Amino acid sequence: MENFKLKIALQVLFLVAAIGIGSGSVNAQTYKTGVGLLIDVGDGGTLVGPHIKHFFQPNHAGEASLQFGNGLTVLQAMYQYHQPISGAEGLQWYLGLGGALLFPNNSGNTHFGIVPAAGIDYKISSAPISLFADWRPKFLISDGQNEFLAARFGLGLRFILNAGSNP
């Protein structure tokens, strides 16, 4: 089952790359807020849910998500620092850091997670859509026990609410 999830994650990553390479001209980051679907896959199961990203300044964004799956409900918030990739309009790399609260469905124990991220964000100029892919390992802390999940990846898309509004 884990190999199947990894294959799905790689296929989505290749799709994001193909769209990025195959699209015509794309403008630099030209949105302020986007909402969409986040798929968080890898070690520990698959989580899926809505998320929102908002740029407070051209290079500084916040992302929040509510994810479900693998017997968990996860609330996550993250700060992200963005920079454009030279020669690839609409494509930016980013680094992020945030926290997560994990609520297991079968117990009252809440877990805390520290979540760094490194990824790419691509805004399609001809559509109000942004695609992203990142590596987001998780450091989980619960009842004095720690766990590190290195193989975690975020994939998704956003509908842009205010295209052309650069922060």
Side-chain angles (χ1 to χ4, degrees):
M1 186 66 168
E2 291 300 319
N3 285 338
F4 175 73
K5 291 178 187 175
L6 181 59
K7 287 180 184 177
I8 295 293
L10 290 174
Q11 289 173 351
V12 172
L13 185 59
F14 284 123
L15 175 64
V16 170
I19 291 171
I21 293 168
S23 293
S25 67
V26 179
N27 296 329
Q29 195 74 32
T30 58
Y31 72 96
K32 191 166 185 176
T33 304
V35 295
L37 182 68
L38 168 64
I39 303 169
D40 191 328
V41 299
D43 289 346
T46 300
L47 303 167
V48 178
H51 83 284
I52 185 168
K53 183 173 196 167
H54 178 76
F55 281 87
F56 299 101
Q57 304 230 343
N59 298 51
H60 305 278
E63 179 186 272
S65 65
L66 180 63
Q67 304 163 26
F68 306 94
N70 199 41
L72 292 171
T73 299
V74 178
L75 180 61
Q76 184 171 282
M78 179 183 295
Y79 162 80
Q80 296 176 348
Y81 176 77
H82 287 248
Q83 278 294 314
I85 295 176
S86 179
E89 293 184 46
L91 186 62
Q92 294 194 356
W93 62 264
Y94 61 88
L95 297 175
L97 182 63
L101 293 174
L102 294 83
F103 305 97
N105 296 342
N106 59 358
S107 75
N109 297 335
T110 300
H111 308 283
F112 176 73
I114 298 171
V115 184
I120 56 172
D121 185 313
Y122 178 68
K123 165 62 177 79
I124 300 172
S125 67
S126 60
I129 302 226
S130 168
L131 303 168
F132 68 94
D134 60 26
W135 174 53
R136 51 177 69 205
K138 289 187 175 41
F139 301 92
L140 303 177
I141 304 164
S142 173
D143 297 329
Q145 297 178 351
N146 300 322
E147 184 177 6
F148 176 62
L149 302 174
R152 298 293 307 169
F153 303 92
L155 306 164
L157 66 100
R158 295 181 201 91
F159 178 76
I160 304 308
L161 300 177
N162 47 6
S165 300
N166 205 357

